[in-house]
Amino acid sequence: MKRHVRPYGDTTGDGMVQTSFTLPVPAGPQADGAAQQLANKMGIDPAMVVHSHPIGDDFTFFVVYGSVRHLVDLDEVRVVQREYPLLSPTEVNTALKKLLRRKLVVVGACIGTDAHTVGIDAILNIKGFAGEKGLEYYRELTVVNLGAQVSVPELVRRARDGKADAVLVSQVVTQRDAHLLNTREMAAAFREAMGERRPLLIAGGPRFDPLMAAELGVDRVFGRGTTPGEVASYLVHAMHTRAVHTSAVQTRKDNA
Amino acid sequence: MKRHVRPYGDTTGDGMVQTSFTLPVPAGPQADGAAQQLANKMGIDPAMVVHSHPIGDDFTFFVVYGSVRHLVDLDEVRVVQREYPLLSPTEVNTALKKLLRRKLVVVGACIGTDAHTVGIDAILNIKGFAGEKGLEYYRELTVVNLGAQVSVPELVRRARDGKADAVLVSQVVTQRDAHLLNTREMAAAFREAMGERRPLLIAGGPRFDPLMAAELGVDRVFGRGTTPGEVASYLVHAMHTRAVHTSAVQTRKDNA
Amino acid sequence: MALLDLDPTVVATARELAARAAEPVVALAKAHTTVAVERATLRLAGITGADSTHRAGDVPWVNRVVDTVRDHCGLEHGVVLPVFHALKQHDLATLTDLAEATAAGQIRYTLPEGRDRERARKAATTAVTKGLRTVDRNRAQRDRLVARLGDPPQRPWIYLIVATGDIDEDVVQARNAARAGADVIAVIRSTGQSLLDYVPEGATHHGFAGTYATQENFRIMRAALDEVSKEVGRYVRLTNYASGLCMPEIAVLAGLQRLDMMLNDSMYGILFRDINPIRTFVDQRFSRQVHARAGIVINTGEDNYLTTADAVDAAHTVTVSQLLNEHFAHEAGLPDHLLGLGHAFEINPKVPESFRLELAHALLARELFPDAPLKWMPPTKHMTGDVFNGYLLDGFFNLAGVLTGQSILLVGMMTEAVVTPFLSDRDLALANVRYVLNAAGGLAEDFRPAPDGLIVKRAHQVLGEAVDLLGRIVEDGLLDAIADGTFGLMKRPADGGRGADGVVEKADGYANPASELLEAR
Amino acid sequence: MALLDLDPTVVATARELAARAAEPVVALAKAHTTVAVERATLRLAGITGADSTHRAGDVPWVNRVVDTVRDHCGLEHGVVLPVFHALKQHDLATLTDLAEATAAGQIRYTLPEGRDRERARKAATTAVTKGLRTVDRNRAQRDRLVARLGDPPQRPWIYLIVATGDIDEDVVQARNAARAGADVIAVIRSTGQSLLDYVPEGATHHGFAGTYATQENFRIMRAALDEVSKEVGRYVRLTNYASGLCMPEIAVLAGLQRLDMMLNDSMYGILFRDINPIRTFVDQRFSRQVHARAGIVINTGEDNYLTTADAVDAAHTVTVSQLLNEHFAHEAGLPDHLLGLGHAFEINPKVPESFRLELAHALLARELFPDAPLKWMPPTKHMTGDVFNGYLLDGFFNLAGVLTGQSILLVGMMTEAVVTPFLSDRDLALANVRYVLNAAGGLAEDFRPAPDGLIVKRAHQVLGEAVDLLGRIVEDGLLDAIADGTFGLMKRPADGGRGADGVVEKADGYANPASELLEAR
Ligand code: B12
Ligand code: B12
Ligand SMILES: Cc1ncc(COP(=O)(O)O)c(C=O)c1O
Ligand SMILES: Cc1ncc(COP(=O)(O)O)c(C=O)c1O
């Protein structure tokens, strides 16, 4: 595969894209010109304003086609690569048993005022998602699903009481960045309440960007289309990393 | 109205746009990352890749939503402003009669291999467009409609023989810039054959950018949705300008 | 014209079973009151405003009063007796004065006896009657405006949501939507409001994915729509949510501000907001009585079940819920023409013949409830980021609505899986509806499900399954059925859920002029 | 199942009138030959290749030969006699050798007489027979492949266009389209090719809005589709255009390269390319004879009328043209199952009940031509830059196709008003078709136009208008009707148009083994 690619309309390298948007200007040639200007600024050149339609007196909706000049540099693409193997439920169970010699406790919730439980249920409930069984199905996992609209203090309390190894929170509503605010608040609360000993924090939801984990103060972020198996495999990986880290710390302390 | 505006999703200034494109990369997280990168380069940030779908093994189609950072500067919008008044057919007839004391001859054609006559017919035929009658309806215009797939040499010959004041060409097919190539070729041929005394050259078609007239070597370009009345009014305006110009030249010559 | 050839005795059985399943719950609802019902009563009696000096933010006066009354002497006799007794005792002019005094710790509420009791009761009845008169006036005003401006010229009516979180932006969007053809505007609520045990005050600008339901927001939007109604020459209706912990209060506010439709379901709060079942059924009964008085169309929420359960597997639960909602509504005094029973186009579009199955379900609802203004909800669950396909799916949803004679069409948005609707989404969605209504408006005339075909069979099957399920519910009890996850796969035990502590068993001497006046009709 | 209750006597009258209207034109076609028919004959006889040394660019050898023969001794006796006579005289091995010699000015063509004539005729017949045998082999091979791989599992068949201008890019797009569900791939031609009086040679990469139709491009694409057919487990068909000034030659090339369908209309070239009417009718008859032999489905072009005329006003002209195309096709030996008569979804979507009117028109075609593989064309004229609405309109087009039992569905593109299709447009368009076929595939079962409803009335009206118009055409003559702008509002006098000088009246001794062999069947 080539390193640099461009969008493909019907010919390699033609750079063709489609875009649509609304501008707060009354319809007319001036508005079309404004749309053209915006498209140009987006790097679309030549840009064809192929449709414009008034929305009330003050807005105009546009559809624009054209060739975008930018190149995509595939070497520069940043994605969260799965740095761990995908394990089957049996493999997950075996690995956890060996690692912990007890069940791993997972607490899940949909926090803030968000009431969309279908996503977190897809990960946790036996029924699962995309043909994969959810975490409840795993013998070596104890799953506590707190449901929807759980406040952050309540979550921290339940996680602490339940000796959670991992906390999984879901956020589906994103208007006004609700998902980011809530996740940050949650991470801060755990830091505050438990410091170093806080459980593994995992956030998920369809509009999350997995690259944001560090920024949000959580260990991992899962986006749209996540499957339970991915999450379970990650848990094994993360617990393993923690164990290595903890035993290293332990060793250092012992030596001190 | 404000000078600077941004796209409007559901809140003033939110900058929200939609875009879709295909990249020549196999579907997967890497592809989604590539789409995200392209969107970022277009100025969309944050960009949400809300849909990706494989097209065969080598391509992926994306839909992206997000907030574009660019501002539209309405003062900088360049459009071809109608610098002449819209006249009714009667006004056009009166003005032309006064100006020329003979009928104005218009030759129209769809040139090159383009066979889309509906557009030029909409301008020329009595039937017209959008409720306006076409140029044939104007008493002071003599319209010769040469139809489709007229070669440039043929057009020049017919224009010269018919003593055309204005030549109207239509170009609808734009693949591989056919419309631009044909229009340039036409303008060059008239320049070559008739020099200064060439008729007024007008190009039209749905994908033309009216700003391009000079670049294409024609006097005026009309885009999508043009009505016959606009063209007729322009003819009056242009003939008037020419008359003034010619008489000025004439005067200068007389004085020399 | 009946296309499904449903067996009238099966239909009658279904209704009878629904009535029997509902019976114990109605009895429960009659035997209890809730903090919200009491607050609603006081709102009818004229209390307004909020304590803006309180450190927890604005607390509506009505909450302060009801909470204090409960503290002092309990709510089992209703809030009005102690309140109007105190008003008299302290010689205060208005309930707001009383609330201020309450906040200042100057009032000690007691249950009046004898003549005091009668006096308090009478004063309360007078106050509540005044409130109801406002409701009645609004209803009459609506009738007048409809007579003057007219109803939408077509069925289904076109129902559009706005959801910016800011009432001012909502107004912009609602106006444009009305101009572009919307017949009903629903202002979506902020997430979380349903779990607030009070109704916020004033105009609000910072909701999440919706705008707070407040009396002032109601007023602003109704005024804006009155204006645009004149402009477009038809009466544009306004919808909000009588749902969540403040269901009865919001119903009252809707009546006071001339809202025209309200989302109001007998089980939604239980299932989707984990609100205590008893609380919900009590609140629901009162709120429906208010809606009946106000001439407000309720919209039930069966569509929601299909977002958590499968639309084919759970189709009969929709029917069962519609029958229950119908019974609860009738019992509360709502006539058929105010029953906007809900259902939805939520079958996975990958299922073979999915469109025909949708037609079967939609037609079943139509023929079971011929006189109800059914509300037909668009695809949401199977919408994806592919906005092109989403736009197509919405088109077929619109077509199903037209073919099966739905009454109210909630317009689907191509960005369903992406964002709360953009201005342009709404405009495009209306263009979609317009195309379908204009191009295929009369196609129902040519739609004749084959007598033994897939559609007819499927409808009969769903009705059969609904009757079976109702039979089981009658045996086990509705509360147990809800606890077992019968609806939307959500399991909600009768003693769980939020707001349970706001439920109060009525004492023998319970008095509530609002209930009495509403019940009397 | 007949839904329209058409009167069989009216239908019979319509067919009879069409036959009478066509009669004089068939006579004309039989009485003339054209340069293109003669070139096609030589192509069947084995001539290939082009003169690449010519200063006007590659000129196919066949053009050099036919032009020279015409110069030397005219074409009224057919080209084969002089050609095979010269071959013999100069003792040349192949027609290509002869062509080279011709170009070098070494050949003087004369009309052979007596035994020379018989010998030339026989040699020509042998050569042409060989060519026809290749055609026959291809037909048999297609049958075998279809038997092995299978036909598409569903009706309508899904027909997709590719139009990049570059045969290599076309192959990429065609393959992906087939994998995504296309049953038929049409390679759109470059603008302008129809007015070329020769067929370009070799693989081409620089067409405008389409790819040149050349024998080599045919071969490349058929080979690519054979490969992908195996992969997808069904025989994917290939379409091109036997149209324009080289109609008969392209028909021959299609037969030689196992194309499966060809655009081939009796009047399209006249109306939309301003090609001389006589030239067109002569070329058309020969090309259809070739198609009949090759088992190629023809696609007629009635859809085009509706891009220049109004789809409601001119609906009956579509019917008239279909009846004429049917008659001309039958006359040329094409059986019903090779008659892909065209019609289109082109009513302005703003017209009230437009969708039902479309259903009426589509159903009329279906019931008039029950055994023809009708080709149903998508909206183009009323598509705009609003690609969302375009996608919706295409969905309703697909639905109309399913409801009225169309045989071949040309898949509409949301970018119709913008660009030649993008790769993604095709993919999205197929998703649209898949949704409609899967979700509403069986809905035809429930579609029963009301006996006296809009659909039935409209269909009867259109048929009535068609019969009236046919009556007038019988009186005035088809050529005059064409000259008057009856079809697509285009006025084309019989003596006008391009390519008229390529028409030659046959002399008494006219010989053409291709015609004879084809006619014999
Ligand atoms: C179902 C649904 C509902 C149901 C929820 C029922 C329930 N119990 O969950 C009901 C009907 C109750 C509902 C209500 C509302 N909804 Co809603 N709803 C949806 C809908 C249709 C589908 C969501 C869904 O179930 N997806 C399927 C699941 C499986 O996908 P998922 O959530 O993405 O989860 C996957 C991944 O993201 C990931 N994942 C998710 N969480 C987690 C967590 C972890 C730890 C991990 C590892 C992974 C993970 O794994 C999952 C499997 O792959 C969407 C629209 C859509 N089509 O997306 C709107 C949508 C989410 N809803 C929306 C809104 C606004 C609301 C309301 C606020 C509207 C209102 N004001 O009344 C209300 C209130 C809800 C509230 N308080 O939060 C908006 C959100 C807009 C935004 N981006 O901010 C959406 C997008 C619709 C829209 N366009 O307006 N809704
Ligand atoms: C009708 C039509 C046809 C008809 C044309 C009939 C005829 N006699 O004109 C037929 C069926 C024959 C046809 C054939 C083809 N077509 Co065509 N056709 C269209 C269609 C559906 C509508 C065009 C139209 O009539 N618009 C209505 C008129 C009124 O609008 P207009 O042309 O924009 O004109 C207005 C203005 O632009 C302006 N204007 C136009 N010309 C002029 C001139 C002057 C002087 C002035 C002042 C103003 C002016 O005023 C007009 C009124 O407002 C478009 C798709 C679409 N929906 O746009 C495709 C389209 C134009 N066709 C297309 C193609 C590729 C073809 C073919 C080449 C396909 C093929 N390979 O077979 C063929 C061959 C045609 C050829 N050689 O040129 C493409 C062009 C792609 C591109 N951008 O390059 C389009 C866009 C479809 C597509 N997406 O593939 N086509
Ligand atoms: C019946 C009903 N009530 C209420 C709501 C919204 O509830 P909330 O504001 O509690 O999220 C919905 C959701 O659409 C509903 O269907
Ligand atoms: C019947 C028929 N022939 C030919 C064509 C294309 O012709 P050309 O290549 O001449 O533009 C069309 C256009 O779609 C057609 O419908």
Side-chain angles (χ1 to χ4, degrees), chain D residues 444-519:
Chain D
E445 181 180 307
D446 312 304
F447 172 54
R448 293 286 169 271
D452 264 324
L454 181 92
I455 292 178
V456 170
K457 277 198 196 132
R458 174 67 188 161
H460 285 247
Q461 179 193 356
V462 173
L463 180 58
E465 288 173 9
V467 170
D468 291 350
L469 175 58
L470 277 166
R472 288 199 301 279
I473 294 176
V474 168
E475 268 171 40
D476 301 349
L478 178 55
L479 291 176
D480 280 356
I482 293 172
D484 288 348
T486 303
F487 301 102
L489 306 179
M490 312 303 279
K491 299 186 179 180
R492 304 299 191 192
D495 57 357
R498 310 176 203 239
D501 59 353
V503 181
V504 178
E505 200 175 337
K506 290 179 187 170
D508 264 357
Y510 176 79
N512 184 331
S515 295
E516 290 150 21
L517 289 165
L518 292 168
E519 201 88 51

Side-chain angles (χ1 to χ4, degrees), chain A residues 18-23 35 38-39 42 44 61-62 64, chain B residues 5-11 13-21 39-40 42-50 63-70 72, chain C residues 387 414-415 418-419 422 424-425, chain D residues 388:
Chain A
Q18 171 272 331
T19 183
S20 72
F21 49 80
T22 303
L23 290 176
L38 178 64
M42 292 167 75
I44 305 172
F61 174 68
F62 303 95
V64 180
Chain B
V5 298
R6 301 184 65 200
Y8 180 102
D10 68 351
T11 312
D14 62 18
M16 297 303 286
V17 305
Q18 171 274 332
T19 182
S20 73
F21 48 79
N40 291 157
M42 291 167 76
I44 304 172
D45 193 4
M48 303 186 285
V49 178
V50 299
V63 178
V64 180
Y65 276 80
S67 176
V68 80
R69 89 174 83 82
H70 312 295
V72 175
Chain C
V387 288
M414 68 181 188
T415 48
V418 183
V419 287
F422 287 176
S424 54
D425 295 336
Chain D
F388 300 103

Side-chain angles (χ1 to χ4, degrees), chain A residues 18 20-22 53-57 59 61 113-115 117-118 127 148-150 173-178 181 207, chain C residues 163-166 172 176 191-192 195 205-210 273 307-308 388 417-418 420 423-424 427-428 489-490 498:
Chain A
Q18 171 272 331
S20 72
F21 49 80
T22 303
H53 182 252
I55 303 185
D57 293 338
F59 296 91
F61 174 68
T113 56
D114 201 325
T117 52
V118 178
K127 194 177 155 202
Q149 299 193 312
V150 177
V173 175
T174 60
Q175 211 201 27
R176 293 169 200 264
D177 287 340
L181 299 177
R207 293 284 91 80
Chain C
T164 71
D166 180 332
V172 173
N176 281 319
T191 63
L195 299 189
H205 307 279
H206 299 286
F208 286 103
R273 290 298 171 265
T307 66
T308 50
F388 300 102
V418 183
T420 40
L423 184 69
S424 54
D427 199 67
L428 283 167
L489 305 180
M490 312 302 278
R498 309 177 204 239

Side-chain angles (χ1 to χ4, degrees), chain B residues 113-120 122-123 129 149 168-175 202-207 222-227 231, chain D residues 188-192 209-210 241 268 272-273 304 307-308 380-383 415-421 490:
Chain B
T113 56
D114 201 325
H116 291 90
T117 52
V118 178
I120 183 92
I123 302 298
F129 185 71
Q149 299 194 313
L168 274 62
V169 305
S170 180
Q171 287 286 271
V172 175
V173 174
T174 60
Q175 211 199 30
I202 302 175
R207 294 282 93 79
F222 287 92
R224 102 190 125 90
T226 307
T227 63
V231 179
Chain D
I188 302 300
R189 289 204 297 193
S190 177
T191 62
Y241 295 74
Y268 173 87
F272 294 94
R273 292 298 170 264
N304 297 287
T307 66
T308 50
T380 64
K381 185 179 179 178
H382 298 287
M383 295 290 280
T415 47
E416 172 62 34
V418 183
V419 287
T420 41
M490 312 303 279

